């Protein structure tokens, strides 16, 4: 029994009770990566009845939430967790978490436009900020570009490309922070490894 004011306990390690009723400890933290397919909504409910990303996590027994979002027509790496502080920091622009995309555009992209993407372009809601942009392949029919951004504006990669005269016809997020999709199949998910969680926590100043 605690009789001294200011006594500290460690939630999850110490047994804490009040009026002889034990206060439950924190739930086990869950960290997942999903390779989101085309046509799923990053929400827990969609009034239009479209498929939602948690439909792909039926085997997960803990309740988890998507960290940020990918558009309906964007594929790729999407994180899920029940760790609210971790999710908040990953999404907050002040932590500048890098997000990498592979994007296909129609036509051959000009060198000057790649340089403009690297410098940053003006969008209708302000400057985009710089990006790391490189051409993977390019032909008269289409170009495939890798872009890494840290700003996280809505539909930012698509809008940056539109600002220099190109339309994205396929967009996939391949990396967040130190995480990459690797060979995870579209529609599949996996738990993050301990070292992956540790690395991502360090990235946003958590232990």
């Amino acid at each position: 029994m605690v009789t001294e004011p200011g006594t500290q306990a460690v939630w999850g390690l110490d047994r804490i009770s009040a009026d002889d009723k034990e206060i439950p400890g924190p739930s086990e933290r869950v960290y997942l990566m999903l390779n989101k397919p085309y046509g799923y909504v990053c929400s827990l409910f969609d009034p239009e009845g479209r498929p939602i990303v948690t439909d792909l996590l039926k085997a997960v027994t803990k309740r988890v939430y998507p960290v940020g979002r990918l558009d309906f027509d964007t594929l790729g790496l999407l994180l899920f967790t029940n760790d609210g502080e971790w999710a908040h920091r990953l999404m907050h622009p002040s932590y500048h978490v890098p997000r990498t995309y592979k994007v296909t555009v129609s036509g051959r992209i000009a060198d000057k436009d790649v340089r403009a993407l690297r410098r940053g372009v003006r969008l209708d809601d302000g400057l985009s900020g710089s990006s790391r942009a490189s051409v993977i392949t390019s032909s008269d029919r289409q170009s495939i570009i890798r872009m890494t951004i840290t700003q996280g504006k809505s539909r930012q990669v698509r809008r940056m490309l539109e600002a220099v005269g190109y339309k994205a016809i396929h967009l996939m997020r391949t990396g967040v922070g130190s995480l990459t999709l690797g060979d995870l199949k579209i529609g599949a998910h996996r738990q993050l490894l301990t070292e992956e969680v540790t690395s991502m926590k360090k990235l946003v100043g958590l232990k």
Side-chain angles (χ1 to χ4, degrees):
M1 178 179 294
V2 175
T3 57
E4 293 292 328
T7 301
Q8 295 186 344
V10 180
W11 195 34
L13 294 179
D14 296 323
R15 183 176 179 273
I16 306 172
S17 60
D19 298 328
D20 294 325
K21 293 182 179 179
E22 186 168 352
I23 298 173
S27 60
E28 179 186 357
R29 296 299 187 218
V30 179
Y31 306 91
L32 301 174
M33 175 193 299
L34 169 74
N35 189 346
K36 175 191 171 294
Y38 176 90
Y40 279 76
V41 178
C42 288
S43 173
L44 300 180
F45 172 76
D46 182 60
E48 298 179 33
R50 295 172 296 181
I52 58 176
V53 287
T54 49
D55 292 341
L56 299 165
L57 305 177
K58 298 296 188 185
V60 178
T61 57
K62 299 283 187 181
R63 189 171 190 188
V64 293
Y65 305 88
V67 180
R69 64 190 302 273
L70 288 176
D71 296 321
F72 183 81
D73 51 356
T74 301
L75 298 78
L77 198 163
L78 181 64
L79 297 173
F80 289 81
T81 190
N82 56 0
D83 184 340
E85 182 61 22
W86 187 70
H88 168 73
R89 294 193 184 200
L90 285 179
M91 291 185 289
H92 200 281
S94 66
Y95 290 96
H96 305 289
V97 176
R99 296 165 175 82
T100 299
Y101 298 81
K102 185 170 75 172
V103 55
T104 303
V105 299
S106 296
R108 186 184 298 274
I109 189 165
D111 291 343
K112 66 178 180 60
D113 296 325
V114 175
R115 291 194 295 270
L117 293 172
R118 290 172 181 163
R119 291 191 303 269
V121 296
R122 183 170 297 280
L123 305 175
D124 56 9
D125 56 351
L127 294 173
S128 69
S130 61
S131 73
R132 294 199 300 272
S134 60
V135 178
I136 300 173
T137 63
S138 185
S139 69
D140 291 338
R141 186 173 68 88
Q142 66 180 30
S143 300
I144 301 177
I145 307 153
R146 182 180 290 108
M147 288 181 61
T148 300
I149 60 174
T150 58
Q151 296 77 25
K153 293 177 180 286
S154 175
R155 299 177 70 84
Q156 180 173 333
V157 171
R158 293 180 186 275
R159 292 194 294 140
M160 288 179 71
L161 286 160
E162 288 169 2
V164 294
Y166 300 87
K167 180 176 177 59
I169 55 178
H170 185 273
L171 181 61
M172 171 179 279
R173 184 158 70 190
T174 59
V176 174
S178 57
L179 301 174
T180 60
L181 273 178
D183 58 2
L184 187 65
K185 296 183 183 301
I186 292 178
H189 69 274
R190 68 169 179 85
Q191 290 194 36
L192 297 189
L193 303 176
T194 300
E195 54 266 32
E196 291 176 323
V197 175
T198 300
S199 175
M200 291 294 285
K201 284 187 174 182
K202 285 181 179 178
L203 184 66
V204 293
L206 291 172
K207 295 182 179 180

